[in-house]
Amino acid sequence: MSGEEEENAAELKLGEDFVKAKCLMNGEVSLILDRRLEQLQQLSEDPLNQMPQVFEKSLQYVKRFSRYNNPDAVRQVREILSRHQLAEFELVVLGNLCPETVEEAIAMVPSLKDKGRGLDDEAIEKMLTDLALIKSSSSSGHLLKKLGFGLASL
Amino acid sequence: MFFHIILERNMQLHPRHFGSRLRDKLVSKLIKEVEGTCSGRHGFVVAIMGIEHVGKGLIRDGTGFVTFPVKYKCVVFRPFKGEILEAVVTMVNKMGFFAETGPVQVFVSNHLIPDDMEFQSGDTPNYITSDGSVKIQKDSEVRLKIIGTRVDATEIFCIGTIKDDFLGVISDPGAAA
């Protein structure tokens, strides 16, 4: 238990097992689990009975709390957030919770305001506006151009 | 939060499986043994994505079993203290309420629910503000902060709060999505 007392997500202290791990947004997990479910269904005649409870609960959870409806939107979110200097953990929390104001974003991810980060309110505001743009429209051509995506990058 | 990590495990295989389908058998045994389990260190293993590497098998003295060290990629769910996430309320009582976030259960004590919310018992026990504008009941979606985790052999259990800024109800089950 002593190792756990040092962990604190607000300070990005995740322990050595997770500090280099890739964090996944609910939307991304949803895609992964869907694919797995397909595999399970192909392999056995009775997939619903064999799904462990952990899998089923996780699938229901990510389906319910994923704010983006399609794989392109999920990918765009990750790409946009990666342009700013964010840690993996911070990126995913912002992508999952979609704060609307700078104040909310800082409350969700306190480490954004660490000294020496160089992330001022304007930069955070820009991040949130870009995020909101993806949420409000599904992937359409004019939106992608607006956010600086060329077709080649897809 | 969900993570994608590489874990390692020693798999034991009976000699009857040695043959062309050895690797497939290792994979299916791995999935059966590990998917759905929980460890305090890595959290809940939700799904195994694939095998990263299978080491050389070591024959065990005295039996014909062979032990293979297997590195595999998987999706795990591991809650962290200080993490803010969304959850579904599953039960409400006068001590507080229980919510589920993925495979993990979180308990929010009534001390960590804002003071302006009061418990109402009845058919649908709930917490409600005095003006009735905000209500927490079964199936409500809430945003909470994890303030502590407790780990035993097979489960992780969390304590949370909704008393800070920007935490609390996201949606009412009665309202339109």
Side-chain angles (χ1 to χ4, degrees):
Chain A
M1 276 295 275
S2 59
E4 285 189 38
E5 267 139 35
E6 295 158 8
E7 287 177 359
N8 191 339
E11 297 167 22
L12 289 184
K13 289 200 189 129
L14 301 180
E16 49 181 37
D17 287 332
F18 289 94
V19 74
K20 299 232 179 75
K22 184 162 155 99
C23 305
L24 298 171
M25 287 193 282
N26 291 342
E28 293 168 334
V29 179
S30 173
L31 296 171
I32 294 176
L33 295 185
D34 274 341
R35 240 180 292 149
R36 186 97 182 90
L37 190 60
E38 268 173 34
Q39 275 176 358
L40 271 176
Q41 281 168 343
Q42 277 171 3
L43 286 175
S44 82
E45 309 97 48
D46 219 4
L48 294 174
N49 282 350
Q50 290 182 12
M51 230 190 333
Q53 212 190 27
V54 168
F55 185 92
E56 184 167 347
K57 285 200 169 164
S58 304
L59 184 59
Q60 276 173 10
Y61 175 75
V62 294
K63 287 258 174 267
R64 189 165 180 169
F65 288 108
S66 168
R67 289 170 186 256
Y68 309 100
N69 296 329
N70 61 61
D72 287 328
V74 174
R75 212 175 341 131
Q76 280 169 40
V77 169
R78 191 170 266 272
E79 218 153 328
I80 295 218
L81 289 176
S82 312
R83 291 182 191 173
H84 309 263
Q85 308 113 8
L86 294 173
E88 276 272 322
F89 192 87
E90 296 172 330
L91 191 155
V92 171
V93 173
L94 288 175
N96 277 343
L97 300 178
C98 294
E100 290 172 5
T101 63
V102 175
E103 212 190 326
E104 194 180 346
I106 297 177
M108 301 292 102
V109 189
S111 48
L112 282 179
K113 271 307 185 181
D114 281 348
K115 296 196 184 71
R117 279 300 285 269
L119 260 179
D120 58 0
D121 284 1
E122 257 184 63
I124 302 180
E125 175 100 39
K126 169 109 193 8
M127 228 191 302
L128 300 181
T129 328
D130 288 343
L131 257 187
L133 268 176
I134 304 181
K135 193 165 149 202
S136 61
S137 41
S138 44
S139 50
S140 44
H142 73 270
L143 168 67
L144 297 176
K145 290 226 181 70
K146 199 168 172 185
L147 293 171
F149 284 91
L151 282 174
S153 69
L154 280 179
Chain B
M1 171 170 297
F2 289 96
F3 293 89
H4 183 272
I5 56 175
I6 297 182
L7 293 178
E8 195 168 339
R9 188 183 172 87
N10 285 328
M11 303 289 307
Q12 271 203 39
L13 218 52
H14 187 279
R16 73 167 169 264
H17 302 300
F18 298 169
S20 54
R21 308 207 56 205
L22 174 69
R23 192 157 166 131
D24 292 340
K25 189 63 194 168
L26 258 185
V27 173
S28 58
K29 193 155 187 252
L30 180 70
I31 291 180
K32 210 155 54 153
E33 277 183 22
V34 173
E35 255 189 16
T37 61
C38 173
S39 80
R41 197 171 151 194
H42 299 117
F44 284 89
V45 177
V46 177
I48 293 184
M49 306 291 299
I51 304 283
E52 173 87 0
H53 176 72
V54 180
K56 289 194 164 65
L58 201 60
I59 306 178
R60 301 186 68 85
D61 290 341
T63 73
F65 278 86
V66 170
T67 308
F68 290 91
V70 181
K71 280 208 176 98
Y72 57 99
K73 300 175 278 206
C74 56
V75 174
V76 299
F77 184 83
R78 165 80 147 86
F80 281 92
K81 176 180 151 193
E83 186 182 344
I84 295 178
L85 37 69
E86 299 172 329
V88 180
V89 176
T90 51
M91 185 170 93
V92 181
N93 62 36
K94 64 180 195 298
M95 308 294 297
F97 65 84
F98 284 90
E100 260 181 22
T101 153
V104 167
Q105 232 193 21
V106 185
F107 176 66
V108 180
S109 141
N110 57 15
H111 300 294
L112 294 171
I113 297 177
D115 298 326
D116 58 354
M117 298 194 80
E118 279 196 10
F119 177 68
Q120 279 193 346
S121 54
D123 280 339
T124 3
N126 60 73
Y127 281 87
I128 191 163
T129 46
S130 45
D131 59 3
S133 58
V134 184
K135 191 167 166 187
I136 299 179
Q137 60 187 354
K138 184 159 183 247
D139 226 38
S140 296
E141 296 177 3
V142 296
R143 187 189 277 175
L144 49 83
K145 174 149 93 176
I146 296 185
I147 54 170
T149 58
R150 193 193 74 209
V151 169
D152 62 34
T154 54
E155 235 189 311
I156 299 184
F157 184 75
C158 298
I159 317 272
T161 176
I162 55 167
K163 223 172 183 181
D164 287 349
D165 289 335
F166 299 105
L167 300 180
V169 177
I170 309 168
S171 82
D172 228 332

